């Protein structure tokens, strides 16, 4: 008899936990989905973005390319303009560098510091980068400029999401 | 950096690099010049976005100081001085006020910080193409001004 009672209590316990668990899951799941969904979607759609830059017009001199796209930031969609420094390297490969300084995130400019020709210059704390994006030692930045993966479509340049470079 | 939690972590970790504070000044009026005061606020708000983006690592863009347009000049000045004092006391080397309201032009000399006054442009009446190119132009000038001031004070 007493054995029976214990197992009944256990049975009830299990059932209640089970039902409670279902109820909790039923309540939480939509919330989690609701929270995570936009993030997932943004990832899925954030592939290559068209730019107004013609491939044939890219030279060896880094040129500023602005491109806009719709960004899904959680629940808002907003128009974002990004910039890339684009040029052809000595092998004729297209290079697209992010202009965001790896120190504290200012926007770097090409060839604007008189004392440092043919380098990227950050006006905030004097950060310098070589043409290939390598940070110049002795200036604040501690990493190379991020690089955008590139693609071509109908003669125009497409850019992916800028990625940090692996340390050599 | 913007006045948001995410940027604050960065700010606290790199304070010695952030030597500039920017305080936009926004007039508010419900009188005849209501639309004008809105346009001024809007215009400056629009310009501060790319400005902050460009110089993210060196400046903190404050949420801005709104004031009633019918306040006396003395009162306005008094408040602005409290602001700049607070900012200088907190270690900022450069304090910039950015505004479209011309009343500040007449108060400029009494301020220790730098005043950047930009006449507001009636953007609402323009099509998008014209608007963007004008804005781009204004932003360029604004960036130049900042770089100049930084250079002068080195
Ligand atoms: S943000 Fe570029 S050098 Fe500091």
């Amino acid at each position: 008899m007493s054995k029976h009672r214990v197992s009944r209590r256990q049975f009830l316990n299990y059932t209640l936990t089970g039902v409670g668990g279902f109820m909790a899951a039923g309540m939480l799941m939509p919330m989690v989905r609701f929270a995570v969904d936009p993030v997932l979607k943004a990832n899925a759609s954030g592939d290559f973005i068209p730019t107004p830059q013609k491939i044939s017009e890219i030279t060896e001199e880094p040129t500023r390319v602005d491109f806009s796209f719709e960004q899904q930031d959680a629940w808002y969609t907003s128009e974002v303009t990004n910039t890339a420094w684009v040029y052809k390297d000595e092998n004729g490969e297209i290079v697209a560098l992010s202009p965001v300084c790896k120190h504290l995130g200012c926007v770097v400019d090409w060839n604007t510091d008189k004392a440092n020709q043919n380098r990227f210059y950050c006006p905030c704390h004097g950060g310098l980068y070589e043409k290939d994006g390598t940070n110049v030692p002795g200036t604040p930045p501690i990493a190379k400029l991020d690089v955008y993966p590139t693609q071509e479509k109908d003669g125009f340049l497409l850019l992916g999401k800028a990625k940090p470079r692996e340390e050599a | 950096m913007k006045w948001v939690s995410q940027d604050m972590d960065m700010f606290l970790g790199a304070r010695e690099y952030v030597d500039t504070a920017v305080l936009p000044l926004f007039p508010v009026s419900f009188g005849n010049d209501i639309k004008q005061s809105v346009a001024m606020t809007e215009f400056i708000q629009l310009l501060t976005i790319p400005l902050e983006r460009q110089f993210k690592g060196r400046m903190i863009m404050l949420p801005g100081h709104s004031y009633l347009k019918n306040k006396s000049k003395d009162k306005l000045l008094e408040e602005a001085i409290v602001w700049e004092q607070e900012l200088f006391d907190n270690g900022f080397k450069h304090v910039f006020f950015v505004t479209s309201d011309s009343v500040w032009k007449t108060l400029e000399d009494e301020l220790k910080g730098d005043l950047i006054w930009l006449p507001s442009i009636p953007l609402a009446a323009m099509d998008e193409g014209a608007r963007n190119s004008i804005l781009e132009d204004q932003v360029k000038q604004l960036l130049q001004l900042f770089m100049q001031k930084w250079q002068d004070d080195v």
Side-chain angles (χ1 to χ4, degrees):
Chain A
M1 198 64 200
S2 77
K3 216 176 161 191
H4 222 116
R5 198 185 287 156
V6 171
S7 73
R8 182 186 294 158
R9 176 183 292 161
Q10 275 180 338
F11 172 75
L12 279 175
N13 261 340
Y14 289 143
T15 348
L16 279 178
T17 321
V19 171
F22 266 118
M23 279 165 53
M27 270 161 48
L28 284 175
M29 273 311 283
M31 289 203 243
V32 172
R33 274 190 58 97
F34 190 52
V36 169
D37 229 4
V39 182
L40 294 179
K41 249 188 244 151
N43 277 347
S45 67
D47 288 334
F48 279 82
I49 297 148
T51 72
Q53 178 66 45
K54 282 203 186 99
I55 297 278
S56 57
E57 286 170 6
I58 297 174
T59 63
E60 298 212 335
E61 183 74 4
T63 315
R64 207 192 147 107
V65 174
D66 289 324
F67 58 104
S68 308
F69 57 99
E70 307 236 293
Q71 188 176 58
Q72 229 167 352
D73 222 356
W75 295 276
Y76 320 94
T77 313
S78 53
E79 166 115 344
V80 187
T81 303
N82 263 352
T83 301
W85 288 106
V86 178
Y87 65 93
K88 281 195 178 120
D89 68 13
E90 58 274 21
N91 305 322
E93 300 281 346
I94 292 168
V95 180
L97 297 174
S98 156
V100 177
C101 183
K102 295 299 274 184
H103 178 219
L104 292 172
C106 293
V107 178
V108 303
D109 223 334
W110 171 248
N111 219 357
T112 40
D113 188 35
K114 304 236 161 38
N116 285 284
Q117 302 280 317
N118 294 321
R119 279 174 163 175
F120 292 101
Y121 173 68
C122 177
C124 284
H125 316 102
L128 287 169
Y129 302 84
E130 304 294 354
K131 185 175 173 183
D132 68 357
T134 308
N135 50 303
V136 174
T139 68
I142 37 140
K144 299 176 177 185
L145 290 173
D146 289 357
V147 62
Y148 289 100
T150 61
Q151 263 181 20
E152 177 178 351
K153 196 179 170 212
D154 305 327
F156 285 90
L157 176 70
L158 271 64
L159 296 176
K161 208 167 146 23
K163 287 195 195 73
R165 282 190 274 184
E166 273 126 56
E167 282 313 309
Chain B
M1 286 157 222
K2 297 183 283 278
W3 193 252
V4 297
S5 320
Q6 199 190 357
D7 286 6
M8 263 331 95
D9 293 335
M10 188 184 185
F11 172 67
L12 294 171
R15 227 180 145 141
E16 68 275 26
Y17 287 103
V18 188
D19 66 353
T20 302
V22 182
L23 183 68
L25 300 171
F26 302 131
V28 175
S29 161
F30 285 93
N32 292 333
D33 49 353
I34 179 167
K35 284 188 87 173
Q36 204 188 350
S37 81
V38 170
M40 287 173 172
T41 301
E42 225 168 17
F43 182 66
I44 294 299
Q45 267 169 348
L46 219 55
L47 288 182
T48 55
I49 298 167
L51 174 66
E52 186 276 333
R53 219 178 129 196
Q54 189 79 25
F55 297 136
K56 188 179 196 68
R58 187 166 180 182
M59 68 168 51
I60 183 139
M61 181 62 70
L62 292 163
H65 170 52
S66 313
Y67 52 90
L68 293 169
K69 190 95 183 73
N70 58 15
K71 268 202 188 156
S72 73
K73 269 198 198 179
D74 292 344
K75 262 260 162 322
L76 289 181
L77 181 64
E78 205 178 292
E79 282 174 4
I81 287 175
V82 173
W83 267 108
E84 63 179 11
Q85 202 47 55
E86 178 72 17
L87 294 169
F88 284 126
D89 287 350
N90 276 285
F92 290 102
K93 286 224 307 275
H94 309 272
V95 173
F96 289 92
F97 298 99
V98 186
T99 189
S100 273
D101 185 352
S102 55
V103 69
W104 295 101
K105 269 311 244 184
T106 63
L107 299 172
E108 185 171 10
D109 296 339
E110 331 274 327
L111 293 169
K112 265 204 283 165
D114 289 303
L115 177 76
I116 294 184
W117 176 75
L118 297 152
S120 100
I121 295 168
L123 293 169
M126 292 176 201
D127 67 73
E128 209 182 310
R131 191 163 63 204
N132 286 348
S133 70
I134 286 187
L135 272 179
E136 215 171 284
D137 216 63
Q138 293 278 318
V139 169
K140 237 182 240 160
Q141 285 182 38
L142 195 57
L143 299 180
Q144 281 301 326
L145 274 172
F146 272 85
M147 288 200 272
Q148 190 117 41
K149 298 265 184 191
W150 280 334
Q151 218 131 58
D152 291 349
D153 293 356
V154 162

